[in-house]
Amino acid sequence: QSVLTQPPSASGTPGQRVTISCSGSSSNIGSNSLIWYQRLPGTAPKLLIYLNNQRPSGVPDRFFGSRSGTSGSLAISGVQSEDEADYYCATWDDSVGGVVFGGGTKLTV
Amino acid sequence: QGQLVQSGAEVKRPGASAKVSCQASRYTFTDHYIHWVRQAPGQGPEWMGWINTYNGDKYFARSFQGRVTLTRDTSITTVYVELSGLRSGDTATYFCARDRGKGDIGVFDLWGQGTEVIVSS
């Protein structure tokens, strides 16, 4: 069981806006910044969003991250077929004393 | 930008140990912590711990304390993870990942390609 809760699946048609949620608690998302990773089939995870809403260079601006209270979300505006992947949220958990991840959301486009 | 290259897949018997290497290149090795994250089939990632590549300090996830060893060899810019007392639940792909280095723990901006460890009798 993952500490952070994500829906197991999400879907959209090309060009739609898709949102993936990530729910936690006061000891993790409630007090630490949220991170998102994308894992394409057969590859290692890739940093997508850090510090709740910051995109590393090279990440398309159609990816948006947000955090409010003990939950957060990843929005993909104008989803494309190449965005079909597994998405994971992560953060530091003060109670656990470590990095915790969500179980992942499989996005189908 | 950097690269992390891991050692190849391993098949181990229950109770044995597995040691995976992660060689860094194209960046200053001692500027970034290296973390280990594993992912079992069909499950979310699980963080294992980190090593300070500059001074060798380590920090482990509680669930791995006593069973995991992290080491580094700065002369060949390589980090190692060794997991002992293997059981079937340790079957997973093991990743090394570079910490972004800005004080935000968990922000991994570079990943190795992954090493599959299979535990089977």
Side-chain angles (χ1 to χ4, degrees), chain A residues 2 33 35 37 39 42-47 50-51 57 88 90-92 94-104, chain B residues 1 35 37 39 42-48 50 59-62 93 95 100 104-114:
Chain A
S2 300
S33 59
I35 307 153
Y37 293 96
R39 188 174 182 195
T43 69
K46 171 190 170 184
L47 178 64
Y50 65 99
L51 288 176
S57 61
Y88 300 94
T91 188
W92 179 265
D94 296 330
S95 293
V96 172
V99 180
V100 293
F101 287 88
Chain B
Q1 187 72 327
H35 298 243
V37 176
Q39 187 165 16
Q43 297 185 25
E46 183 179 18
W47 178 76
M48 299 176 68
W50 79 59
Y59 183 84
F60 303 103
R62 290 173 194 161
T93 299
F95 295 96
R100 181 172 167 263
D104 300 305
I105 301 172
V107 183
F108 308 135
D109 63 355
L110 182 67
W111 293 70
Q113 83 276 20

Side-chain angles (χ1 to χ4, degrees), chain B residues 31-98:
Chain B
D31 279 355
H32 298 265
Y33 289 17
I34 293 291
H35 298 243
W36 288 90
V37 176
R38 74 177 186 181
Q39 187 165 16
Q43 297 185 25
E46 183 179 18
W47 178 76
M48 299 176 68
W50 79 59
I51 185 166
N52 181 329
T53 53
Y54 179 76
N55 62 16
D57 285 348
K58 303 140 197 173
Y59 183 84
F60 303 103
R62 290 173 194 161
S63 55
F64 290 98
Q65 285 178 5
R67 210 160 67 91
V68 68
T69 303
L70 296 180
T71 55
R72 89 220 190 277
D73 185 337
T74 56
S75 68
I76 54 171
T77 63
T78 298
V79 174
Y80 304 89
V81 62
E82 184 170 19
L83 189 60
S84 61
L86 290 170
R87 39 202 185 234
S88 59
D90 293 317
T91 294
T93 299
Y94 289 74
F95 295 96
C96 59
R98 185 182 75 176

